[in-house]
Amino acid sequence: MKWNLRWAAAKQNIWRPSELLPRFAEYGFTPSLSKVSALWSGIPVTVRLDDLDKMCAALNCTVGDLMEADPVERVAPGAEQGQSQERAVGDDGPGSAGPRPVPQRGTGRPRSLPPN
């Protein structure tokens, strides 16, 4: 994912993280300056959906403006350098419909309760 908070803020003529604080506060989002600086300078690992909604409202943008999908290239199995060609027992290779596990039937007894 590409994180475009700076771009969305620039469209609103906001050039510093400290300028975001009053705008966010208008919509009930009151993060610390250090959190806003972290959102400003890098890609966040997590963002709460309600916070994302408030950021979009404050910046008059959509989630698609803040986050942009960055296509990931598909890697064929075994194509990575140094990867071994190990397969699971019973795997006859790609496209094979080998043996599948058979689900176990219950014994008819109710399960015990988990420990407290």
Side-chain angles (χ1 to χ4, degrees):
M1 292 303 264
K2 291 181 183 176
W3 180 244
N4 297 322
L5 178 63
R6 283 183 173 196
W7 181 251
K11 288 180 180 179
Q12 297 296 315
N13 204 25
I14 296 172
W15 305 103
R16 294 187 179 141
S18 59
E19 296 172 12
L20 282 173
L21 288 173
R23 182 75 68 99
F24 285 166
E26 290 176 21
Y27 291 89
F29 181 46
T30 55
S32 65
L33 180 58
S34 63
K35 182 173 179 174
V36 173
S37 294
L39 290 170
W40 184 268
S41 63
I43 299 172
V45 175
T46 60
V47 177
R48 291 179 44 171
L49 293 178
D50 58 335
D51 292 345
L52 188 61
D53 192 33
K54 292 172 186 175
M55 283 189 264
C56 289
L59 294 172
N60 193 27
C61 66
T62 66
V63 174
D65 295 329
L66 286 180
M67 296 189 302
E68 183 181 334
D70 191 13
V72 178
E73 193 173 310
R74 184 175 182 189
V75 178
E80 293 181 14
Q81 188 176 18
Q83 184 178 3
S84 66
Q85 293 294 329
E86 294 180 21
R87 295 193 312 234
V89 174
D91 182 11
D92 294 327
S96 70
R100 299 183 59 102
V102 178
Q104 298 288 321
R105 296 276 181 201
T107 60
R109 296 180 303 191
R111 289 186 164 188
S112 63
L113 294 174
N116 288 337

